[in-house]
Amino acid sequence: MRRKKDIAVLKAMGARDRMIRGIFLKQGALIALSGALIGLILGYLLVLAQDTFGLVSLGISSAIVDAYPVRIVLTDFIWISLAVISITLLASWRPAIIAAQVDTVREL
C-alpha cells in the first residue's frame, strides 16, 4: 500500500495492469527462491553440524548413540523447497492483484 504512488506513476507512464501484476509476482518469486535457497543451505549446514559434532545430545549416558541422530534425504529438501516457494507465491498473489487496481488519478 505504501507504493501506491509508484504504481500510479507506472500506470501514468503506460504500464498495464498485467505488467504491474507481473512485477509484483516476479518480486514474490525472487523472495521465495532466495529464501528457500538460504533456508536450505542453513538447514543442510545444521544437519551436517549435528551429524559431525553432535550438537544436541540425547542426555542418556547409557545409550548406544550419544547425540540425536539425523539423516539428510534429498526428497525432503525438494518437498520443503516446493512448499516454501508455493506458499510465498500464493501470499504475493493478492498484493499483486490489489496493486494492479490502483487508481492513477486519485494517487497522483
XYZ file of all heavy atoms in Angstrom:
822
model
N 0.804 -1.192 0.000
C 0.000 0.000 0.000
C 0.856 1.268 0.000
O 0.417 2.295 -0.472
C -0.923 0.002 1.227
C -2.027 -1.032 1.138
S -3.134 -0.679 -0.231
C -2.871 -2.073 -1.270
N 2.055 1.196 0.533
C 2.889 2.400 0.555
C 3.493 2.691 -0.808
O 4.127 3.706 -1.011
C 3.970 2.280 1.611
C 4.742 1.013 1.530
C 5.612 0.769 2.736
N 6.011 -0.623 2.625
C 7.182 -1.095 2.876
N 8.083 -0.307 3.351
N 7.445 -2.345 2.705
N 3.316 1.814 -1.749
C 3.857 2.029 -3.090
C 2.796 2.483 -4.080
O 2.982 2.381 -5.285
C 4.495 0.732 -3.583
C 5.660 0.324 -2.746
C 6.331 -0.858 -3.319
N 7.410 -1.260 -2.426
C 8.044 -2.388 -2.497
N 7.710 -3.249 -3.415
N 8.995 -2.674 -1.652
N 1.695 2.975 -3.572
C 0.603 3.386 -4.455
C 1.052 4.471 -5.424
O 0.681 4.443 -6.598
C -0.589 3.872 -3.644
C -1.411 2.766 -3.055
C -2.640 3.338 -2.382
C -3.523 2.230 -1.853
N -4.733 2.767 -1.244
N 1.831 5.415 -4.953
C 2.272 6.499 -5.844
C 3.205 5.958 -6.921
O 3.128 6.385 -8.074
C 2.950 7.602 -5.043
C 1.974 8.379 -4.220
C 2.571 9.633 -3.666
C 1.480 10.305 -2.847
N 1.644 11.702 -2.702
N 4.083 5.027 -6.557
C 4.972 4.426 -7.553
C 4.179 3.668 -8.608
O 4.477 3.742 -9.806
C 5.976 3.479 -6.882
C 6.893 4.206 -5.924
O 7.121 5.416 -6.116
O 7.390 3.555 -4.982
N 3.159 2.943 -8.158
C 2.310 2.203 -9.088
C 1.536 3.170 -9.982
O 1.402 2.951 -11.188
C 1.354 1.267 -8.320
C 2.152 0.196 -7.575
C 0.355 0.618 -9.245
C 1.345 -0.562 -6.552
N 1.058 4.258 -9.391
C 0.335 5.265 -10.173
C 1.241 5.889 -11.222
O 0.806 6.149 -12.353
C -0.242 6.332 -9.243
N 2.502 6.127 -10.884
C 3.449 6.686 -11.852
C 3.680 5.690 -12.988
O 3.722 6.064 -14.164
C 4.781 7.069 -11.167
C 5.858 7.382 -12.182
C 4.582 8.241 -10.228
N 3.825 4.406 -12.641
C 3.986 3.388 -13.679
C 2.783 3.360 -14.619
O 2.929 3.268 -15.838
C 4.177 2.010 -13.041
C 5.536 1.715 -12.427
C 5.511 0.381 -11.693
C 6.606 1.695 -13.500
N 1.593 3.459 -14.034
C 0.385 3.470 -14.868
C 0.328 4.724 -15.730
O -0.084 4.677 -16.886
C -0.864 3.375 -13.993
C -1.125 1.976 -13.509
C -2.489 1.912 -12.854
C -2.858 0.479 -12.610
N -4.245 0.335 -12.178
N 0.739 5.862 -15.171
C 0.741 7.104 -15.945
C 1.733 7.031 -17.104
O 1.544 7.666 -18.135
C 1.081 8.286 -15.039
N 2.777 6.246 -16.940
C 3.780 6.073 -17.997
C 3.344 5.031 -19.023
O 4.053 4.808 -20.012
C 5.123 5.675 -17.389
C 5.759 6.786 -16.594
S 7.243 6.298 -15.680
C 8.193 5.425 -16.857
N 2.215 4.367 -18.772
C 1.695 3.440 -19.768
C 1.721 1.977 -19.374
O 1.403 1.115 -20.192
N 2.112 1.678 -18.155
C 2.133 0.278 -17.714
C 0.706 -0.230 -17.561
O -0.153 0.447 -17.008
C 2.885 0.155 -16.398
N 0.452 -1.399 -18.058
C -0.872 -2.003 -17.947
C -0.967 -2.806 -16.653
O 0.040 -3.094 -16.016
C -1.144 -2.900 -19.140
C -1.018 -2.165 -20.464
C -1.921 -2.793 -21.478
N -1.745 -2.182 -22.790
C -2.385 -1.105 -23.203
N -3.224 -0.502 -22.420
N -2.177 -0.627 -24.409
N -2.201 -3.145 -16.281
C -2.424 -3.902 -15.046
C -1.669 -5.222 -15.057
O -1.115 -5.650 -14.040
C -3.922 -4.167 -14.850
C -4.693 -2.903 -14.534
O -4.051 -1.882 -14.205
O -5.934 -2.938 -14.615
N -1.633 -5.863 -16.204
C -0.937 -7.154 -16.310
C 0.559 -7.004 -16.004
O 1.161 -7.862 -15.363
C -1.154 -7.715 -17.708
C -0.559 -9.061 -17.917
C -0.897 -9.596 -19.275
N -0.293 -10.899 -19.442
C -0.377 -11.596 -20.533
N -1.055 -11.143 -21.559
N 0.200 -12.765 -20.622
N 1.152 -5.933 -16.481
C 2.574 -5.697 -16.244
C 2.844 -5.450 -14.758
O 3.819 -5.958 -14.209
C 3.067 -4.513 -17.064
C 4.518 -4.211 -16.907
S 4.955 -2.777 -17.901
C 6.669 -2.625 -17.535
N 1.987 -4.689 -14.113
C 2.163 -4.399 -12.686
C 1.991 -5.675 -11.868
O 2.762 -5.943 -10.950
C 1.192 -3.289 -12.246
C 1.600 -1.982 -12.919
C 1.184 -3.137 -10.728
C 0.641 -0.860 -12.746
N 0.993 -6.490 -12.213
C 0.828 -7.790 -11.542
C 2.078 -8.634 -11.729
O 2.554 -9.285 -10.800
C -0.386 -8.521 -12.113
C -1.596 -8.450 -11.264
C -2.665 -9.437 -11.686
N -2.876 -9.572 -13.121
C -3.732 -8.864 -13.838
N -4.477 -7.960 -13.250
N -3.866 -9.058 -15.125
N 2.617 -8.628 -12.936
C 3.828 -9.398 -13.226
C 5.020 -8.938 -12.399
O 5.801 -9.766 -11.928
N 5.146 -7.634 -12.221
C 6.248 -7.100 -11.413
C 6.149 -7.608 -9.984
O 7.131 -8.074 -9.403
C 6.256 -5.556 -11.446
C 6.667 -5.054 -12.831
C 7.172 -4.984 -10.373
C 6.466 -3.565 -13.041
N 4.958 -7.531 -9.408
C 4.775 -7.975 -8.032
C 4.962 -9.489 -7.895
O 5.530 -9.970 -6.916
C 3.414 -7.537 -7.497
C 3.412 -6.146 -6.961
C 3.344 -5.066 -7.809
C 3.502 -5.920 -5.606
C 3.363 -3.774 -7.317
C 3.520 -4.632 -5.095
C 3.455 -3.556 -5.955
N 4.487 -10.249 -8.873
C 4.659 -11.700 -8.811
C 6.120 -12.097 -8.987
O 6.604 -13.016 -8.326
C 3.779 -12.387 -9.854
C 2.288 -12.362 -9.543
C 1.495 -12.952 -10.704
C 1.997 -13.119 -8.266
N 6.835 -11.401 -9.853
C 8.261 -11.690 -10.026
C 9.040 -11.352 -8.768
O 9.971 -12.072 -8.386
C 8.822 -10.931 -11.227
C 8.376 -11.514 -12.539
C 8.836 -10.672 -13.702
C 8.207 -11.195 -14.989
N 8.470 -10.313 -16.122
N 8.666 -10.270 -8.125
C 9.317 -9.911 -6.866
C 9.040 -10.978 -5.807
O 9.930 -11.366 -5.062
C 8.832 -8.551 -6.392
C 9.548 -8.052 -5.162
C 9.056 -6.679 -4.744
O 8.039 -6.186 -5.214
N 9.788 -6.057 -3.840
N 7.806 -11.470 -5.756
C 7.471 -12.551 -4.830
C 8.242 -13.815 -5.132
O 8.704 -14.524 -4.221
N 8.416 -14.126 -6.411
C 9.179 -15.312 -6.802
C 10.642 -15.169 -6.415
O 11.271 -16.135 -5.953
C 9.060 -15.541 -8.306
N 11.189 -13.982 -6.574
C 12.581 -13.739 -6.197
C 12.771 -13.917 -4.692
O 13.744 -14.542 -4.246
C 12.994 -12.331 -6.631
C 14.470 -12.038 -6.671
C 15.108 -12.832 -7.790
C 14.690 -10.557 -6.908
N 11.835 -13.393 -3.913
C 11.895 -13.564 -2.464
C 11.774 -15.036 -2.094
O 12.497 -15.541 -1.234
C 10.795 -12.724 -1.785
C 11.101 -11.234 -1.931
C 10.647 -13.100 -0.316
C 9.957 -10.335 -1.533
N 10.873 -15.755 -2.773
C 10.668 -17.175 -2.486
C 11.918 -17.991 -2.793
O 12.343 -18.822 -1.984
C 9.490 -17.706 -3.295
N 12.503 -17.752 -3.951
C 13.682 -18.522 -4.332
C 14.883 -18.226 -3.441
O 15.596 -19.139 -3.025
C 14.025 -18.259 -5.800
C 13.033 -18.812 -6.812
C 13.400 -18.366 -8.219
C 12.971 -20.319 -6.732
N 15.097 -16.964 -3.145
C 16.241 -16.627 -2.292
C 16.027 -17.136 -0.869
O 16.953 -17.664 -0.245
C 16.510 -15.123 -2.304
O 15.408 -14.418 -1.787
N 14.813 -17.027 -0.358
C 14.531 -17.535 0.983
C 14.655 -19.043 1.062
O 15.203 -19.585 2.028
N 14.156 -19.736 0.048
C 14.269 -21.195 0.022
C 15.725 -21.623 -0.066
O 16.157 -22.551 0.635
C 13.481 -21.767 -1.147
N 16.494 -20.954 -0.899
C 17.902 -21.309 -1.052
C 18.688 -21.080 0.242
O 19.435 -21.958 0.692
C 18.520 -20.512 -2.203
C 19.966 -20.845 -2.529
C 20.066 -22.268 -3.049
C 20.511 -19.871 -3.559
N 18.498 -19.924 0.850
C 19.203 -19.627 2.106
C 18.779 -20.604 3.205
O 19.610 -21.128 3.949
C 18.961 -18.160 2.527
C 19.667 -17.221 1.562
C 19.441 -17.916 3.957
C 19.303 -15.765 1.743
N 17.479 -20.868 3.302
C 16.983 -21.798 4.311
C 17.496 -23.207 4.111
O 17.856 -23.902 5.076
N 17.556 -23.664 2.873
C 18.063 -24.999 2.597
C 19.549 -25.120 2.903
O 20.001 -26.132 3.448
C 17.789 -25.389 1.155
C 16.336 -25.692 0.826
C 16.156 -25.878 -0.663
C 15.866 -26.916 1.575
N 20.303 -24.093 2.576
C 21.739 -24.119 2.888
C 21.959 -24.134 4.395
O 22.760 -24.930 4.911
C 22.460 -22.923 2.226
C 22.493 -23.118 0.711
C 23.867 -22.764 2.775
C 22.985 -21.909 -0.059
N 21.243 -23.272 5.119
C 21.386 -23.250 6.581
C 20.930 -24.567 7.206
O 21.558 -25.074 8.139
C 20.617 -22.076 7.175
C 21.181 -20.692 6.900
C 20.258 -19.625 7.465
C 22.575 -20.550 7.476
N 19.836 -25.125 6.697
C 19.357 -26.411 7.200
C 20.352 -27.524 6.951
O 20.609 -28.367 7.828
N 20.939 -27.544 5.757
C 21.944 -28.549 5.437
C 23.154 -28.421 6.361
O 23.667 -29.423 6.866
C 22.367 -28.416 3.974
C 23.460 -29.372 3.581
C 23.181 -30.707 3.331
C 24.785 -28.948 3.477
C 24.180 -31.595 2.982
C 25.797 -29.818 3.128
C 25.495 -31.144 2.886
O 26.494 -32.021 2.547
N 23.596 -27.193 6.578
C 24.753 -26.982 7.461
C 24.441 -27.394 8.900
O 25.299 -27.954 9.592
C 25.210 -25.522 7.400
C 25.811 -25.076 6.076
C 26.106 -23.575 6.104
C 27.068 -25.866 5.758
N 23.222 -27.139 9.354
C 22.830 -27.534 10.697
C 22.792 -29.055 10.845
O 23.282 -29.605 11.841
C 21.466 -26.933 11.044
C 20.975 -27.134 12.467
C 21.905 -26.441 13.452
C 19.565 -26.621 12.611
N 22.241 -29.740 9.857
C 22.212 -31.208 9.899
C 23.627 -31.762 9.829
O 23.973 -32.720 10.540
C 21.336 -31.762 8.750
C 21.508 -33.258 8.591
C 19.885 -31.423 8.995
N 24.463 -31.170 9.000
C 25.854 -31.604 8.896
C 26.593 -31.399 10.219
O 27.351 -32.278 10.664
C 26.547 -30.842 7.764
C 27.915 -31.336 7.342
C 27.813 -32.741 6.769
C 28.511 -30.399 6.304
N 26.358 -30.262 10.875
C 26.997 -29.998 12.173
C 26.496 -30.979 13.237
O 27.276 -31.459 14.057
C 26.729 -28.557 12.604
N 25.202 -31.284 13.230
C 24.660 -32.246 14.190
C 25.247 -33.629 13.943
O 25.601 -34.335 14.884
C 23.129 -32.298 14.109
C 22.485 -33.371 14.937
C 22.685 -33.199 16.435
O 22.977 -32.115 16.928
N 22.532 -34.282 17.160
N 25.377 -34.006 12.690
C 25.924 -35.321 12.353
C 27.400 -35.419 12.714
O 27.864 -36.449 13.192
C 25.714 -35.589 10.867
C 25.967 -37.031 10.490
O 25.663 -37.925 11.323
O 26.463 -37.281 9.375
N 28.139 -34.328 12.510
C 29.579 -34.341 12.762
C 29.920 -34.131 14.234
O 30.726 -34.875 14.806
C 30.269 -33.241 11.924
O 29.922 -33.418 10.553
C 31.772 -33.310 12.084
N 29.304 -33.133 14.854
C 29.693 -32.737 16.202
C 28.716 -33.159 17.288
O 29.030 -33.065 18.470
C 29.883 -31.213 16.272
C 30.881 -30.701 15.283
C 30.476 -29.888 14.240
C 32.227 -31.034 15.381
C 31.384 -29.410 13.315
C 33.146 -30.563 14.468
C 32.729 -29.751 13.423
N 27.520 -33.576 16.926
C 26.531 -33.982 17.926
C 26.114 -32.827 18.818
O 26.219 -32.893 20.039
N 25.614 -31.755 18.224
C 25.248 -30.556 18.972
C 24.138 -30.813 19.990
O 24.169 -30.287 21.096
C 24.800 -29.458 17.998
C 25.817 -29.026 16.946
C 25.187 -28.036 15.984
C 27.044 -28.449 17.595
N 23.155 -31.624 19.623
C 22.031 -31.933 20.504
C 22.199 -33.362 20.994
O 22.079 -34.322 20.229
C 20.677 -31.773 19.769
C 19.528 -32.107 20.694
C 20.544 -30.379 19.202
N 22.485 -33.492 22.271
C 22.687 -34.841 22.817
C 21.360 -35.393 23.324
O 20.415 -34.664 23.602
C 23.713 -34.806 23.945
O 23.196 -34.109 25.045
N 21.300 -36.710 23.452
C 20.099 -37.364 23.947
C 19.966 -37.227 25.458
O 18.876 -37.357 25.998
C 20.097 -38.843 23.545
C 19.917 -39.111 22.053
C 20.085 -40.593 21.758
C 18.555 -38.656 21.605
N 21.056 -37.006 26.147
C 21.017 -36.846 27.601
C 20.977 -38.163 28.355
O 20.709 -38.193 29.547
N 21.231 -39.241 27.668
C 21.241 -40.560 28.312
C 22.674 -41.085 28.236
O 23.230 -41.290 27.161
C 20.283 -41.532 27.580
C 18.871 -40.954 27.543
C 20.306 -42.897 28.238
C 17.913 -41.739 26.676
N 23.257 -41.327 29.381
C 24.655 -41.753 29.401
C 24.828 -43.205 28.976
O 25.883 -43.593 28.489
C 25.248 -41.539 30.793
O 24.514 -42.295 31.743
N 23.809 -44.034 29.135
C 23.952 -45.453 28.803
C 23.446 -45.788 27.400
O 23.338 -46.953 27.041
C 23.192 -46.298 29.827
O 21.817 -45.987 29.778
N 23.150 -44.775 26.590
C 22.623 -45.013 25.248
C 23.747 -45.416 24.295
O 24.917 -45.098 24.507
C 21.941 -43.760 24.719
N 23.367 -46.127 23.257
C 24.339 -46.531 22.245
C 24.797 -45.319 21.440
O 25.964 -45.195 21.102
C 23.717 -47.587 21.303
C 23.393 -48.841 22.091
C 24.639 -47.900 20.141
C 22.635 -49.886 21.317
N 23.877 -44.411 21.178
C 24.175 -43.197 20.425
C 24.114 -42.021 21.390
O 23.155 -41.856 22.120
C 23.145 -43.007 19.290
C 23.443 -41.753 18.510
C 23.127 -44.214 18.376
N 25.180 -41.195 21.406
C 25.227 -40.060 22.332
C 24.374 -38.883 21.863
O 23.720 -38.224 22.659
C 26.671 -39.577 22.505
C 27.524 -40.598 23.229
O 26.961 -41.428 23.960
O 28.760 -40.559 23.054
N 24.419 -38.608 20.569
C 23.734 -37.431 20.034
C 22.486 -37.848 19.264
O 22.363 -38.985 18.810
C 24.669 -36.649 19.121
N 21.576 -36.907 19.126
C 20.347 -37.140 18.376
C 20.714 -37.458 16.929
O 21.392 -36.677 16.272
C 19.470 -35.897 18.450
C 18.108 -36.080 17.862
C 17.106 -36.761 18.551
C 17.812 -35.588 16.607
C 15.850 -36.933 18.007
C 16.563 -35.752 16.052
C 15.587 -36.434 16.755
O 14.355 -36.618 16.202
N 20.269 -38.598 16.410
C 20.662 -38.981 15.040
C 19.886 -38.187 13.981
O 18.699 -37.931 14.129
C 20.293 -40.462 14.971
C 19.230 -40.647 15.988
C 19.490 -39.639 17.068
N 20.579 -37.796 12.936
C 19.980 -37.075 11.821
C 20.407 -37.725 10.512
O 21.409 -38.429 10.449
C 20.383 -35.585 11.819
C 19.791 -34.852 12.984
C 21.881 -35.435 11.790
N 19.606 -37.457 9.477
C 19.917 -38.003 8.155
C 19.453 -37.008 7.106
O 18.384 -36.418 7.223
C 19.215 -39.336 7.979
C 19.464 -40.004 6.664
C 18.814 -41.336 6.583
N 17.390 -41.207 6.900
C 16.480 -42.115 6.590
N 16.836 -43.214 5.999
N 15.216 -41.930 6.898
N 20.256 -36.828 6.091
C 19.918 -35.913 5.006
C 19.266 -36.727 3.890
O 19.833 -37.681 3.383
C 21.172 -35.193 4.475
C 21.786 -34.349 5.583
C 20.836 -34.351 3.262
C 23.109 -33.735 5.229
N 18.038 -36.324 3.533
C 17.289 -37.000 2.468
C 16.976 -35.962 1.393
O 16.388 -34.912 1.688
C 15.986 -37.623 3.027
C 15.217 -38.327 1.928
C 16.296 -38.571 4.165
N 17.342 -36.252 0.167
C 17.163 -35.309 -0.942
C 15.689 -34.977 -1.174
O 15.350 -33.816 -1.433
C 17.782 -35.878 -2.218
C 17.664 -35.000 -3.460
C 18.419 -33.688 -3.260
C 18.166 -35.735 -4.673
N 14.812 -35.946 -1.058
C 13.393 -35.681 -1.308
C 12.812 -34.714 -0.282
O 11.906 -33.942 -0.605
C 12.579 -36.987 -1.316
O 12.812 -37.687 -0.093
C 12.970 -37.867 -2.488
N 13.336 -34.741 0.949
C 12.888 -33.772 1.954
C 13.227 -32.348 1.518
O 12.415 -31.433 1.664
C 13.523 -34.058 3.310
C 12.981 -35.316 3.955
O 11.917 -35.802 3.520
O 13.631 -35.803 4.901
N 14.428 -32.163 0.984
C 14.836 -30.848 0.507
C 13.945 -30.396 -0.652
O 13.565 -29.233 -0.742
C 16.300 -30.859 0.057
C 17.260 -30.716 1.192
C 17.765 -31.818 1.838
C 17.657 -29.463 1.621
C 18.651 -31.691 2.885
C 18.535 -29.307 2.661
C 19.036 -30.428 3.310
N 13.598 -31.307 -1.531
C 12.752 -30.963 -2.677
C 11.356 -30.562 -2.212
O 10.815 -29.535 -2.645
C 12.696 -32.142 -3.673
C 14.073 -32.341 -4.313
C 11.630 -31.900 -4.739
C 14.202 -33.608 -5.124
N 10.747 -31.354 -1.320
C 9.394 -31.041 -0.834
C 9.360 -29.732 -0.054
O 8.424 -28.944 -0.175
C 8.838 -32.180 0.018
C 8.391 -33.343 -0.805
C 8.943 -34.585 -0.850
C 7.305 -33.366 -1.737
N 8.272 -35.375 -1.739
C 7.258 -34.658 -2.306
C 6.381 -32.425 -2.152
C 6.313 -35.023 -3.246
C 5.441 -32.790 -3.095
C 5.402 -34.069 -3.629
N 10.376 -29.497 0.755
C 10.434 -28.250 1.524
C 10.572 -27.057 0.572
O 9.914 -26.034 0.749
C 11.589 -28.288 2.548
C 11.246 -29.270 3.664
C 11.871 -26.910 3.119
C 12.389 -29.597 4.582
N 11.397 -27.191 -0.448
C 11.559 -26.108 -1.424
C 10.249 -25.804 -2.129
O 9.858 -24.639 -2.269
C 12.601 -26.492 -2.474
O 13.839 -26.707 -1.887
N 9.564 -26.840 -2.575
C 8.289 -26.640 -3.245
C 7.253 -25.991 -2.331
O 6.499 -25.110 -2.756
C 7.760 -27.974 -3.774
C 8.524 -28.561 -4.959
C 7.992 -29.948 -5.308
C 8.445 -27.639 -6.153
N 7.231 -26.400 -1.066
C 6.268 -25.824 -0.122
C 6.553 -24.346 0.127
O 5.643 -23.517 0.106
C 6.300 -26.603 1.193
N 7.810 -24.009 0.356
C 8.177 -22.614 0.634
C 7.875 -21.727 -0.571
O 7.280 -20.647 -0.435
C 9.674 -22.515 1.027
C 10.153 -21.073 1.001
C 9.909 -23.124 2.384
N 8.236 -22.173 -1.753
C 8.008 -21.378 -2.958
C 6.512 -21.226 -3.226
O 6.029 -20.140 -3.549
C 8.748 -22.005 -4.154
C 10.260 -21.841 -3.952
C 8.307 -21.381 -5.471
C 11.108 -22.629 -4.912
N 5.749 -22.296 -3.060
C 4.299 -22.235 -3.295
C 3.614 -21.283 -2.328
O 2.785 -20.462 -2.735
C 3.684 -23.630 -3.156
O 4.232 -24.500 -4.096
N 3.943 -21.372 -1.060
C 3.323 -20.511 -0.053
C 3.669 -19.048 -0.308
O 2.806 -18.167 -0.224
C 3.737 -20.947 1.369
C 3.082 -22.289 1.699
C 3.366 -19.892 2.399
C 3.621 -22.939 2.955
N 4.914 -18.774 -0.659
C 5.321 -17.397 -0.909
C 4.635 -16.829 -2.154
O 4.197 -15.678 -2.159
C 6.848 -17.300 -1.062
O 7.469 -17.913 0.065
C 7.293 -15.862 -1.153
N 4.521 -17.630 -3.194
C 3.846 -17.151 -4.402
C 2.356 -16.936 -4.156
O 1.779 -15.969 -4.655
C 4.073 -18.119 -5.553
C 5.485 -18.125 -6.121
C 5.616 -19.183 -7.211
C 5.879 -16.767 -6.643
N 1.750 -17.824 -3.392
C 0.344 -17.622 -3.052
C 0.145 -16.365 -2.213
O -0.834 -15.633 -2.380
C -0.202 -18.841 -2.307
C -0.505 -20.062 -3.161
C -0.880 -21.245 -2.278
C -1.608 -19.769 -4.147
N 1.089 -16.109 -1.327
C 0.998 -14.920 -0.479
C 1.233 -13.637 -1.272
O 0.740 -12.576 -0.891
C 2.004 -15.005 0.665
N 1.963 -13.705 -2.370
C 2.213 -12.494 -3.158
C 1.154 -12.278 -4.239
O 1.136 -11.219 -4.873
C 3.607 -12.555 -3.791
O 3.686 -13.615 -4.714
N 0.276 -13.239 -4.453
C -0.741 -13.116 -5.499
C -1.742 -12.002 -5.185
O -2.043 -11.164 -6.026
C -1.463 -14.449 -5.673
C -2.458 -14.422 -6.776
C -3.799 -14.285 -6.664
C -2.193 -14.480 -8.172
N -4.392 -14.280 -7.898
C -3.420 -14.394 -8.848
C -1.032 -14.599 -8.927
C -3.525 -14.423 -10.224
C -1.143 -14.632 -10.302
C -2.370 -14.553 -10.931
N -2.253 -11.966 -3.972
C -3.252 -10.963 -3.598
C -2.701 -9.541 -3.660
O -3.340 -8.654 -4.232
C -3.828 -11.273 -2.216
C -4.952 -10.351 -1.802
C -5.626 -10.885 -0.559
N -6.614 -10.292 0.197
C -7.193 -9.127 0.165
N -6.904 -8.354 -0.610
N -8.103 -8.672 0.922
N -1.518 -9.261 -3.100
C -0.976 -7.905 -3.247
C -0.740 -7.513 -4.707
O -0.874 -6.344 -5.065
C 0.345 -7.951 -2.482
C 0.174 -9.043 -1.505
C -0.703 -10.045 -2.159
N -0.415 -8.476 -5.558
C -0.212 -8.165 -6.969
C -1.520 -7.740 -7.613
O -1.549 -6.798 -8.417
C 0.366 -9.380 -7.692
N -2.607 -8.402 -7.269
C -3.916 -8.034 -7.817
C -4.349 -6.662 -7.299
O -4.840 -5.818 -8.046
C -4.963 -9.114 -7.476
C -4.642 -10.391 -8.240
C -6.370 -8.647 -7.787
C -5.479 -11.576 -7.856
N -4.139 -6.411 -6.013
C -4.502 -5.118 -5.422
C -3.670 -3.995 -6.041
O -4.170 -2.905 -6.316
C -4.348 -5.163 -3.893
C -5.397 -6.101 -3.290
C -4.452 -3.777 -3.283
C -5.196 -6.395 -1.823
N -2.378 -4.257 -6.264
C -1.501 -3.241 -6.849
C -1.942 -2.876 -8.258
O -1.827 -1.718 -8.673
C -0.069 -3.732 -6.864
N -2.456 -3.837 -8.986
C -2.889 -3.564 -10.356
C -4.165 -2.729 -10.401
O -4.487 -2.143 -11.433
C -3.093 -4.877 -11.107
N -4.882 -2.630 -9.293
C -6.146 -1.896 -9.262
C -6.003 -0.477 -8.727
O -7.002 0.184 -8.466
C -7.158 -2.661 -8.411
C -7.519 -4.006 -8.985
C -8.368 -4.828 -8.047
O -8.545 -4.481 -6.885
N -8.888 -5.931 -8.543
N -4.794 0.020 -8.582
C -4.573 1.369 -8.072
C -5.112 2.391 -9.068
O -4.874 2.295 -10.276
C -3.068 1.603 -7.804
C -2.773 3.067 -7.531
C -2.602 0.748 -6.658
N -5.835 3.376 -8.545
C -6.400 4.444 -9.386
C -5.353 5.535 -9.570
O -4.948 6.192 -8.604
C -7.656 4.999 -8.714
C -8.359 6.028 -9.573
O -8.131 6.037 -10.797
O -9.145 6.820 -9.016
N -4.932 5.741 -10.791
C -3.867 6.690 -11.095
C -4.226 8.117 -10.717
O -3.435 8.841 -10.120
C -3.516 6.641 -12.600
O -3.277 5.267 -12.947
C -2.311 7.446 -12.912
N -5.413 8.533 -11.034
C -5.819 9.926 -10.808
C -5.858 10.236 -9.317
O -5.394 11.293 -8.876
C -7.191 10.194 -11.458
C -7.673 11.593 -11.146
C -7.113 9.973 -12.960
N -6.388 9.345 -8.523
C -6.518 9.589 -7.085
C -5.158 9.583 -6.376
O -4.948 10.337 -5.433
C -7.420 8.531 -6.459
C -7.740 8.885 -5.032
C -8.658 7.920 -4.297
N -9.522 7.118 -5.138
C -9.849 5.871 -4.853
N -9.401 5.296 -3.767
N -10.659 5.194 -5.630
N -4.232 8.765 -6.828
C -2.963 8.631 -6.140
C -1.944 9.698 -6.535
O -1.015 9.963 -5.789
C -2.362 7.245 -6.386
C -3.178 6.125 -5.780
C -3.407 6.275 -4.281
O -2.512 6.761 -3.577
O -4.506 5.932 -3.820
N -2.099 10.274 -7.695
C -1.162 11.322 -8.106
C -1.753 12.659 -7.756
O -1.310 13.562 -7.322
C -0.872 11.237 -9.603
C -0.017 10.066 -10.026
C 0.152 10.081 -11.537
C 1.352 10.119 -9.375
